[in-house]
Amino acid sequence: MAPGNFSQVTEFILLGLSDRRELQILFFTFFFLTYTTVLLGNLLIIVAVRTDPKLSSPMYFLLCNLAFIDICCSSVISPRMLVDLLSQRKTIAFEDCIAQMFFLHVAGASEMFLLTVMAYDRYTAICKPLHYTTIMSRQVCWALVSACWAGGFLHSAVHTLLTAWLPFCGPNTINNYFCDVPLVIQLACTDLYGTEWLMASNSGLISLVCFLVLVTSYMLILVTIRIRYTEGNWKALSTCASHMVVVTFLFAPCIFIYLHPFSTFPFDKHICMIYTIFSPLLNPLIYTLRNKEVKASMWKLWKRCRV
């Protein structure tokens, strides 16, 4: 029992993705390979960026931090899900459920803020190239990344505290493979009208505002490239296109799920898979397959390891 919230519920039962044993084994194999790819791919990006002096620009510094956040986000969900897929009874303690929500929203919100910073970095590089090194100095980059983590922590702390202090007296079944705010708070034994609106304004508005800022920055980039076309700008546009794919896979489901009171719309656990499982996978795939500098750095790293 969580101290201070007067709950009778000490654990939740996760229904997972399926109750059929053959599907659970199939899901375990697929998601184990996915999680392994996320870990190895993002770790490879981090090592390649950190060991190659040519990848010292702010864009790669931010990419390195994005890879770390993707590892954190995936590690909050995937290991527990993989264990549950092989378990007969999928239960999670109340405290563990609250902790999973907290760390998931810290990583998720921090990634949203960081993607917004990365869009600003591309906007500055293309639209204000003469002032780029001054605007995006290493000190500014560290300050922006720190602000992203601080914003993610504050966002998650609001969600977690509001959820932890709700009274839970049953039922305790969650129709999902992890603990998240929309389904957990609907199990509370109290009126949730004000709480739902507060949480929706917290998560939903953050997702929507960050997405609108991203779209605005890309529109400005497109206008600038159209006015003064160069080969370098075209290369930057290609980078922005890859960035936009990651943005869409992360923001679209979050806006769909969180930008309304949770009880007014059915919750789809399959949509959650987009931003909890597949979004962290896109980072290593897109930024390695489409980026010549990163691929060249990884190839040099591979040759050094073979020696």
Side-chain angles (χ1 to χ4, degrees), residues 24-143:
Q24 290 179 351
I25 296 175
L26 180 64
F27 286 146
F28 175 86
T29 303
F30 174 75
F31 290 121
F32 177 78
L33 293 175
T34 301
Y35 181 54
T36 303
T37 303
V38 170
L39 289 182
L40 295 180
N42 284 294
L43 281 173
L44 188 58
I45 290 176
I46 294 173
V47 174
V49 172
R50 298 291 294 176
T51 56
D52 192 342
K54 294 182 179 179
L55 303 181
S56 58
S57 67
M59 182 182 74
Y60 293 112
F61 172 78
L62 297 175
L63 174 60
C64 186
N65 282 275
L66 178 62
F68 176 73
I69 291 180
D70 279 335
I71 291 174
C72 294
C73 187
S74 185
S75 297
V76 172
I77 300 297
S78 295
R80 177 95 199 189
M81 180 184 65
L82 291 173
V83 172
D84 286 343
L85 284 171
L86 300 180
S87 304
Q88 293 295 329
R89 191 166 185 267
K90 304 169 179 59
T91 61
I92 183 170
F94 184 92
E95 294 81 3
D96 294 341
C97 182
I98 297 297
Q100 188 178 59
M101 283 193 296
F102 173 76
F103 289 112
L104 175 63
H105 279 271
V106 169
S110 299
E111 181 164 359
M112 288 184 181
F113 295 138
L114 184 61
L115 286 169
T116 307
V117 170
M118 292 177 71
Y120 174 72
D121 170 72
R122 291 299 84 205
Y123 162 77
T124 306
I126 295 173
C127 301
K128 299 181 179 180
L130 298 179
H131 302 283
Y132 178 67
T133 56
T134 302
I135 296 175
M136 295 299 295
S137 65
R138 181 51 63 99
Q139 292 79 8
V140 171
C141 288
W142 274 110

Side-chain angles (χ1 to χ4, degrees), residues 90-255:
K90 304 169 179 59
T91 61
I92 183 170
F94 184 92
E95 294 81 3
D96 294 341
C97 182
I98 297 297
Q100 188 178 59
M101 283 193 296
F102 173 76
F103 289 112
L104 175 63
H105 279 271
V106 169
S110 299
E111 181 164 359
M112 288 184 181
F113 295 138
L114 184 61
L115 286 169
T116 307
V117 170
M118 292 177 71
Y120 174 72
D121 170 72
R122 291 299 84 205
Y123 162 77
T124 306
I126 295 173
C127 301
K128 299 181 179 180
L130 298 179
H131 302 283
Y132 178 67
T133 56
T134 302
I135 296 175
M136 295 299 295
S137 65
R138 181 51 63 99
Q139 292 79 8
V140 171
C141 288
W142 274 110
L144 290 173
V145 170
S146 300
C148 291
W149 280 103
F153 177 85
L154 291 175
H155 156 80
S156 185
V158 172
H159 268 342
T160 305
L161 291 175
L162 287 174
T163 304
W165 283 90
L166 290 173
F168 294 91
C169 52
N172 66 336
T173 301
I174 300 175
N175 186 21
N176 208 343
Y177 55 93
F178 69 101
C179 287
D180 199 10
V181 174
L183 291 178
V184 173
I185 69 169
Q186 291 182 44
L187 302 177
C189 308
T190 186
D191 178 44
L192 298 171
Y193 182 80
T195 303
E196 285 187 334
W197 274 108
L198 182 60
M199 290 185 172
S201 63
N202 184 16
S203 288
L205 284 181
I206 286 177
S207 303
L208 182 61
V209 170
C210 288
F211 183 72
L212 291 177
V213 171
L214 284 161
V215 172
T216 302
S217 67
Y218 290 134
M219 291 177 63
L220 293 173
I221 289 173
L222 288 174
V223 171
T224 302
I225 290 177
R226 184 177 180 180
I227 293 175
R228 53 173 193 264
Y229 171 80
T230 64
E231 183 179 353
N233 283 345
W234 180 254
K235 179 182 176 182
L237 180 61
S238 178
T239 301
C240 291
S242 302
H243 188 184
M244 197 61 196
V245 173
V246 179
V247 165
T248 302
F249 270 82
L250 176 64
F251 281 89
C254 291
I255 293 173

